[in-house]
CSV table of all heavy atoms in Angstrom, one decimal:
chain,number,residue,atom,x,y,z
A,1,SER,N,-8.3,-1.7,20.4
A,1,SER,CA,-7.0,-1.2,20.0
A,1,SER,C,-5.9,-1.9,20.8
A,1,SER,O,-4.8,-2.4,20.3
A,1,SER,CB,-6.8,0.3,20.1
A,1,SER,OG,-7.8,0.9,19.3
A,2,LEU,N,-6.1,-2.0,22.1
A,2,LEU,CA,-5.1,-2.6,23.0
A,2,LEU,C,-5.0,-4.1,22.7
A,2,LEU,O,-3.9,-4.7,22.6
A,2,LEU,CB,-5.6,-2.5,24.4
A,2,LEU,CG,-4.6,-2.9,25.6
A,2,LEU,CD1,-3.3,-2.2,25.4
A,2,LEU,CD2,-5.2,-2.8,26.9
A,3,ALA,N,-6.2,-4.7,22.4
A,3,ALA,CA,-6.1,-6.2,22.0
A,3,ALA,C,-5.4,-6.4,20.7
A,3,ALA,O,-4.7,-7.4,20.5
A,3,ALA,CB,-7.6,-6.7,21.9
A,4,LEU,N,-5.6,-5.5,19.7
A,4,LEU,CA,-4.8,-5.6,18.4
A,4,LEU,C,-3.3,-5.5,18.7
A,4,LEU,O,-2.5,-6.2,18.1
A,4,LEU,CB,-5.4,-4.6,17.5
A,4,LEU,CG,-4.7,-4.5,16.1
A,4,LEU,CD1,-4.8,-5.9,15.4
A,4,LEU,CD2,-5.3,-3.4,15.2
A,5,VAL,N,-2.9,-4.4,19.4
A,5,VAL,CA,-1.5,-4.2,19.6
A,5,VAL,C,-0.9,-5.4,20.4
A,5,VAL,O,0.2,-5.9,20.1
A,5,VAL,CB,-1.3,-2.9,20.4
A,5,VAL,CG1,0.2,-2.8,20.8
A,5,VAL,CG2,-1.7,-1.7,19.6
A,6,PHE,N,-1.6,-5.9,21.4
A,6,PHE,CA,-1.2,-7.1,22.1
A,6,PHE,C,-1.0,-8.3,21.2
A,6,PHE,O,-0.1,-9.1,21.3
A,6,PHE,CB,-2.2,-7.4,23.3
A,6,PHE,CG,-1.9,-8.7,24.0
A,6,PHE,CD1,-0.9,-8.7,24.9
A,6,PHE,CD2,-2.6,-9.8,23.8
A,6,PHE,CE1,-0.5,-9.9,25.6
A,6,PHE,CE2,-2.4,-11.0,24.5
A,6,PHE,CZ,-1.3,-11.0,25.4
A,7,SER,N,-2.1,-8.6,20.3
A,7,SER,CA,-2.0,-9.7,19.4
A,7,SER,C,-0.9,-9.6,18.4
A,7,SER,O,-0.2,-10.5,18.1
A,7,SER,CB,-3.3,-9.7,18.6
A,7,SER,OG,-4.4,-10.0,19.5
A,8,THR,N,-0.6,-8.3,17.9
A,8,THR,CA,0.4,-8.1,17.0
A,8,THR,C,1.7,-8.4,17.7
A,8,THR,O,2.7,-8.9,17.1
A,8,THR,CB,0.4,-6.6,16.5
A,8,THR,OG1,-0.9,-6.4,15.8
A,8,THR,CG2,1.5,-6.3,15.5
A,9,PHE,N,1.9,-7.9,18.9
A,9,PHE,CA,3.1,-8.0,19.7
A,9,PHE,C,3.4,-9.6,19.8
A,9,PHE,O,4.6,-10.0,19.7
A,9,PHE,CB,3.0,-7.4,21.0
A,9,PHE,CG,4.3,-7.3,21.8
A,9,PHE,CD1,5.3,-6.5,21.5
A,9,PHE,CD2,4.4,-8.1,23.0
A,9,PHE,CE1,6.5,-6.4,22.2
A,9,PHE,CE2,5.6,-8.1,23.7
A,9,PHE,CZ,6.6,-7.2,23.3
A,10,SER,N,2.4,-10.3,20.1
A,10,SER,CA,2.6,-11.8,20.2
A,10,SER,C,3.0,-12.4,18.9
A,10,SER,O,3.9,-13.2,18.8
A,10,SER,CB,1.4,-12.4,20.9
A,10,SER,OG,1.5,-13.8,20.9
A,11,ILE,N,2.2,-12.2,17.9
A,11,ILE,CA,2.4,-12.8,16.6
A,11,ILE,C,3.7,-12.4,15.9
A,11,ILE,O,4.3,-13.1,15.1
A,11,ILE,CB,1.2,-12.7,15.7
A,11,ILE,CG1,0.0,-13.3,16.3
A,11,ILE,CG2,1.4,-13.3,14.3
A,11,ILE,CD1,-1.3,-13.1,15.6
A,12,LEU,N,4.2,-11.2,16.3
A,12,LEU,CA,5.4,-10.7,15.7
A,12,LEU,C,6.6,-11.7,16.2
A,12,LEU,O,7.6,-11.8,15.5
A,12,LEU,CB,5.8,-9.3,16.2
A,12,LEU,CG,5.2,-8.1,15.4
A,12,LEU,CD1,5.4,-6.9,16.2
A,12,LEU,CD2,5.8,-8.1,14.0
A,13,SER,N,6.4,-12.4,17.3
A,13,SER,CA,7.4,-13.3,17.7
A,13,SER,C,7.6,-14.4,16.8
A,13,SER,O,8.7,-15.0,16.6
A,13,SER,CB,7.0,-13.8,19.1
A,13,SER,OG,5.9,-14.6,19.1
A,14,VAL,N,6.5,-14.8,16.1
A,14,VAL,CA,6.6,-15.8,15.0
A,14,VAL,C,7.5,-15.2,13.9
A,14,VAL,O,8.4,-15.9,13.3
A,14,VAL,CB,5.3,-16.2,14.4
A,14,VAL,CG1,5.4,-17.2,13.2
A,14,VAL,CG2,4.4,-16.7,15.5
A,15,GLY,N,7.3,-14.0,13.6
A,15,GLY,CA,8.1,-13.3,12.6
A,15,GLY,C,9.6,-13.2,13.0
A,15,GLY,O,10.5,-13.3,12.2
A,16,PHE,N,9.8,-13.1,14.4
A,16,PHE,CA,11.2,-13.1,14.9
A,16,PHE,C,11.9,-14.4,14.4
A,16,PHE,O,13.0,-14.3,14.0
A,16,PHE,CB,11.2,-13.2,16.5
A,16,PHE,CG,10.7,-12.0,17.2
A,16,PHE,CD1,10.4,-12.0,18.6
A,16,PHE,CD2,10.4,-10.8,16.5
A,16,PHE,CE1,10.0,-10.9,19.2
A,16,PHE,CE2,9.8,-9.7,17.1
A,16,PHE,CZ,9.7,-9.8,18.5
A,17,LEU,N,11.2,-15.5,14.6
A,17,LEU,CA,11.9,-16.8,14.4
A,17,LEU,C,12.2,-16.9,12.8
A,17,LEU,O,13.2,-17.3,12.4
A,17,LEU,CB,11.0,-17.9,14.8
A,17,LEU,CG,11.6,-19.3,14.6
A,17,LEU,CD1,12.9,-19.5,15.4
A,17,LEU,CD2,10.6,-20.4,15.2
A,18,VAL,N,11.1,-16.6,12.1
A,18,VAL,CA,11.4,-16.6,10.6
A,18,VAL,C,12.5,-15.7,10.1
A,18,VAL,O,13.3,-16.1,9.4
A,18,VAL,CB,10.0,-16.4,9.8
A,18,VAL,CG1,10.3,-16.4,8.3
A,18,VAL,CG2,9.0,-17.3,10.3
A,19,ALA,N,12.5,-14.5,10.7
A,19,ALA,CA,13.4,-13.5,10.3
A,19,ALA,C,14.8,-13.9,10.8
A,19,ALA,O,15.8,-13.5,10.1
A,19,ALA,CB,13.1,-12.1,10.9
A,20,SER,N,14.9,-14.7,11.8
A,20,SER,CA,16.2,-15.1,12.3
A,20,SER,C,16.8,-16.2,11.5
A,20,SER,O,18.1,-16.3,11.5
A,20,SER,CB,16.0,-15.6,13.8
A,20,SER,OG,15.6,-14.6,14.6
A,21,LEU,N,16.0,-16.8,10.7
A,21,LEU,CA,16.5,-17.9,9.9
A,21,LEU,C,16.6,-17.7,8.4
A,21,LEU,O,17.4,-18.3,7.7
A,21,LEU,CB,15.6,-19.2,10.1
A,21,LEU,CG,15.6,-19.7,11.6
A,21,LEU,CD1,14.6,-20.8,11.7
A,21,LEU,CD2,17.0,-20.2,12.0
A,22,VAL,N,15.7,-16.8,7.8
A,22,VAL,CA,15.7,-16.6,6.4
A,22,VAL,C,16.9,-16.0,5.9
A,22,VAL,O,17.3,-14.9,6.5
A,22,VAL,CB,14.5,-15.7,6.0
A,22,VAL,CG1,14.5,-15.3,4.5
A,22,VAL,CG2,13.2,-16.4,6.3
A,23,PRO,N,17.6,-16.6,5.0
A,23,PRO,CA,19.0,-16.1,4.6
A,23,PRO,C,19.0,-14.8,3.8
A,23,PRO,O,19.8,-13.9,3.9
A,23,PRO,CB,19.6,-17.2,3.8
A,23,PRO,CG,18.4,-18.0,3.3
A,23,PRO,CD,17.3,-17.8,4.3
A,24,THR,N,18.0,-14.7,2.8
A,24,THR,CA,18.0,-13.6,1.9
A,24,THR,C,16.6,-13.0,1.7
A,24,THR,O,15.6,-13.6,2.0
A,24,THR,CB,18.6,-14.0,0.5
A,24,THR,OG1,17.7,-14.9,-0.1
A,24,THR,CG2,19.9,-14.6,0.6
A,25,ALA,N,16.6,-11.7,1.2
A,25,ALA,CA,15.3,-11.0,1.0
A,25,ALA,C,14.5,-11.7,-0.1
A,25,ALA,O,13.3,-11.7,-0.1
A,25,ALA,CB,15.6,-9.6,0.6
A,26,ARG,N,15.2,-12.5,-1.0
A,26,ARG,CA,14.4,-13.1,-2.1
A,26,ARG,C,13.5,-14.2,-1.5
A,26,ARG,O,12.4,-14.4,-2.1
A,26,ARG,CB,15.4,-13.8,-3.0
A,26,ARG,CG,14.9,-14.6,-4.1
A,26,ARG,CD,15.9,-15.3,-5.0
A,26,ARG,NE,16.9,-14.3,-5.4
A,26,ARG,CZ,18.0,-14.7,-6.1
A,26,ARG,NH1,18.3,-16.0,-6.4
A,26,ARG,NH2,18.9,-13.8,-6.5
A,27,PHE,N,13.9,-14.8,-0.4
A,27,PHE,CA,13.0,-15.8,0.2
A,27,PHE,C,12.2,-15.4,1.3
A,27,PHE,O,11.3,-16.1,1.8
A,27,PHE,CB,13.9,-17.0,0.8
A,27,PHE,CG,14.7,-17.7,-0.4
A,27,PHE,CD1,16.1,-17.5,-0.5
A,27,PHE,CD2,14.1,-18.6,-1.2
A,27,PHE,CE1,16.8,-18.1,-1.4
A,27,PHE,CE2,14.9,-19.3,-2.1
A,27,PHE,CZ,16.2,-19.0,-2.3
A,28,ALA,N,12.3,-14.1,1.8
A,28,ALA,CA,11.6,-13.6,2.9
A,28,ALA,C,10.1,-13.6,2.7
A,28,ALA,O,9.4,-14.2,3.5
A,28,ALA,CB,12.1,-12.3,3.3
A,29,GLN,N,9.6,-12.9,1.6
A,29,GLN,CA,8.2,-12.9,1.4
A,29,GLN,C,7.6,-14.2,1.2
A,29,GLN,O,6.5,-14.5,1.8
A,29,GLN,CB,7.9,-11.9,0.2
A,29,GLN,CG,8.1,-10.4,0.6
A,29,GLN,CD,6.9,-9.8,1.4
A,29,GLN,OE1,6.0,-10.5,1.6
A,29,GLN,NE2,7.1,-8.6,1.8
A,30,PRO,N,8.1,-15.0,0.3
A,30,PRO,CA,7.5,-16.3,0.1
A,30,PRO,C,7.4,-17.2,1.3
A,30,PRO,O,6.4,-17.8,1.6
A,30,PRO,CB,8.4,-17.0,-1.0
A,30,PRO,CG,9.0,-15.9,-1.7
A,30,PRO,CD,9.3,-14.8,-0.7
A,31,ILE,N,8.5,-17.3,2.0
A,31,ILE,CA,8.4,-18.1,3.2
A,31,ILE,C,7.5,-17.5,4.3
A,31,ILE,O,6.7,-18.3,4.9
A,31,ILE,CB,9.9,-18.2,3.9
A,31,ILE,CG1,10.8,-19.0,2.9
A,31,ILE,CG2,9.8,-18.9,5.2
A,31,ILE,CD1,12.2,-19.1,3.4
A,32,GLY,N,7.5,-16.2,4.4
A,32,GLY,CA,6.6,-15.6,5.4
A,32,GLY,C,5.1,-15.8,5.0
A,32,GLY,O,4.3,-16.1,5.9
A,33,THR,N,4.9,-15.7,3.7
A,33,THR,CA,3.5,-15.9,3.2
A,33,THR,C,3.1,-17.3,3.5
A,33,THR,O,2.0,-17.6,4.0
A,33,THR,CB,3.4,-15.6,1.7
A,33,THR,OG1,3.8,-14.2,1.5
A,33,THR,CG2,2.0,-15.8,1.2
A,34,VAL,N,4.0,-18.3,3.2
A,34,VAL,CA,3.6,-19.7,3.4
A,34,VAL,C,3.4,-20.1,4.8
A,34,VAL,O,2.5,-20.8,5.2
A,34,VAL,CB,4.8,-20.6,2.8
A,34,VAL,CG1,4.6,-22.1,3.2
A,34,VAL,CG2,4.8,-20.5,1.3
A,35,VAL,N,4.1,-19.4,5.8
A,35,VAL,CA,4.0,-19.7,7.2
A,35,VAL,C,2.7,-19.0,7.7
A,35,VAL,O,2.0,-19.6,8.5
A,35,VAL,CB,5.3,-19.2,7.9
A,35,VAL,CG1,5.0,-19.2,9.4
A,35,VAL,CG2,6.5,-20.0,7.6
A,36,LEU,N,2.5,-17.8,7.3
A,36,LEU,CA,1.4,-17.0,8.0
A,36,LEU,C,0.0,-17.1,7.4
A,36,LEU,O,-0.9,-17.3,8.1
A,36,LEU,CB,1.8,-15.5,8.0
A,36,LEU,CG,3.1,-15.1,8.8
A,36,LEU,CD1,3.5,-13.8,8.5
A,36,LEU,CD2,2.9,-15.4,10.3
A,37,TYR,N,-0.1,-17.0,6.1
A,37,TYR,CA,-1.4,-16.9,5.5
A,37,TYR,C,-2.2,-18.2,5.6
A,37,TYR,O,-3.5,-18.1,5.6
A,37,TYR,CB,-1.3,-16.4,4.0
A,37,TYR,CG,-1.1,-14.9,4.0
A,37,TYR,CD1,0.1,-14.3,3.9
A,37,TYR,CD2,-2.2,-14.0,4.2
A,37,TYR,CE1,0.3,-13.0,3.8
A,37,TYR,CE2,-2.0,-12.7,4.2
A,37,TYR,CZ,-0.8,-12.1,4.0
A,37,TYR,OH,-0.6,-10.7,4.0
A,38,PRO,N,-1.7,-19.4,5.6
A,38,PRO,CA,-2.6,-20.6,5.8
A,38,PRO,C,-3.3,-20.5,7.1
A,38,PRO,O,-4.3,-21.1,7.3
A,38,PRO,CB,-1.6,-21.8,5.7
A,38,PRO,CG,-0.5,-21.3,4.9
A,38,PRO,CD,-0.4,-19.8,5.1
A,39,MET,N,-2.7,-19.7,8.1
A,39,MET,CA,-3.4,-19.6,9.4
A,39,MET,C,-4.8,-19.0,9.2
A,39,MET,O,-5.7,-19.3,10.1
A,39,MET,CB,-2.5,-18.8,10.4
A,39,MET,CG,-1.3,-19.4,10.7
A,39,MET,SD,-0.4,-18.4,12.0
A,39,MET,CE,1.2,-19.1,12.1
A,40,LEU,N,-5.0,-18.2,8.3
A,40,LEU,CA,-6.2,-17.4,8.1
A,40,LEU,C,-7.4,-18.4,8.0
A,40,LEU,O,-8.5,-18.2,8.6
A,40,LEU,CB,-6.2,-16.5,6.9
A,40,LEU,CG,-5.4,-15.3,7.0
A,40,LEU,CD1,-5.3,-14.6,5.7
A,40,LEU,CD2,-5.9,-14.4,8.1
A,41,GLY,N,-7.2,-19.5,7.2
A,41,GLY,CA,-8.3,-20.4,7.0
A,41,GLY,C,-8.7,-21.2,8.2
A,41,GLY,O,-9.8,-21.8,8.2
A,42,LEU,N,-7.8,-21.4,9.2
A,42,LEU,CA,-8.0,-22.2,10.4
A,42,LEU,C,-8.2,-21.4,11.6
A,42,LEU,O,-8.4,-22.0,12.7
A,42,LEU,CB,-6.9,-23.2,10.5
A,42,LEU,CG,-6.7,-24.2,9.4
A,42,LEU,CD1,-5.4,-25.0,9.6
A,42,LEU,CD2,-7.8,-25.1,9.2
A,43,SER,N,-8.2,-20.1,11.6
A,43,SER,CA,-8.2,-19.3,12.8
A,43,SER,C,-9.5,-19.0,13.4
A,43,SER,O,-9.7,-18.4,14.4
A,43,SER,CB,-7.5,-18.0,12.5
A,43,SER,OG,-8.2,-17.2,11.5
A,44,GLY,N,-10.6,-19.5,12.7
A,44,GLY,CA,-12.0,-19.2,13.1
A,44,GLY,C,-12.5,-17.8,12.6
A,44,GLY,O,-13.6,-17.4,12.9
A,45,LEU,N,-11.7,-17.2,11.6
A,45,LEU,CA,-12.2,-16.0,11.1
A,45,LEU,C,-13.3,-16.2,10.1
A,45,LEU,O,-14.2,-15.4,10.0
A,45,LEU,CB,-11.0,-15.3,10.4
A,45,LEU,CG,-11.1,-13.9,9.9
A,45,LEU,CD1,-11.5,-13.0,11.0
A,45,LEU,CD2,-9.8,-13.4,9.2
A,46,PHE,N,-13.2,-17.2,9.3
A,46,PHE,CA,-14.2,-17.5,8.2
A,46,PHE,C,-15.1,-18.7,8.6
A,46,PHE,O,-16.3,-18.6,8.4
A,46,PHE,CB,-13.5,-17.9,6.9
A,46,PHE,CG,-12.6,-16.8,6.5
A,46,PHE,CD1,-11.2,-17.0,6.4
A,46,PHE,CD2,-13.0,-15.6,6.0
A,46,PHE,CE1,-10.4,-16.0,6.0
A,46,PHE,CE2,-12.2,-14.5,5.6
A,46,PHE,CZ,-10.9,-14.8,5.6
A,47,VAL,N,-14.5,-19.7,9.3
A,47,VAL,CA,-15.4,-20.8,9.7
A,47,VAL,C,-15.0,-21.1,11.3
A,47,VAL,O,-13.8,-21.1,11.6
A,47,VAL,CB,-15.0,-22.1,9.0
A,47,VAL,CG1,-15.8,-23.3,9.5
A,47,VAL,CG2,-15.2,-21.9,7.5
A,48,PRO,N,-16.1,-21.1,12.1
A,48,PRO,CA,-15.8,-21.4,13.5
A,48,PRO,C,-14.9,-22.7,13.7
A,48,PRO,O,-15.1,-23.6,13.0
A,48,PRO,CB,-17.2,-21.7,14.1
A,48,PRO,CG,-18.1,-20.9,13.2
A,48,PRO,CD,-17.5,-21.1,11.8
C-alpha cells in the first residue's frame, strides 16, 4: 500500500505538467490518455 501511494504520488507529477498546460476540459481526457496509457505496454507489466 505504501509503495502504491508513493508511486501514485510520483506519477501524479506527470499529471501536474499536463494539467498545467491543457487549456480546456475537452482536450484533457484525450491528451491524458495519449500521454499515459502507451506507458502500459512498455512498463514491464505485460512483457519484461
Side-chain angles (χ1 to χ4, degrees):
S1 302
L2 187 61
L4 177 59
V5 171
F6 174 75
S7 299
T8 303
F9 190 71
S10 176
I11 297 176
L12 275 170
S13 64
V14 180
F16 295 171
L17 184 58
V18 178
S20 297
L21 298 174
V22 173
T24 64
R26 180 183 303 175
F27 296 103
Q29 285 282 355
I31 292 176
T33 301
V34 168
V35 170
L36 295 171
Y37 280 97
M39 295 185 192
L40 285 173
L42 299 175
S43 64
L45 190 57
F46 304 109
V47 179

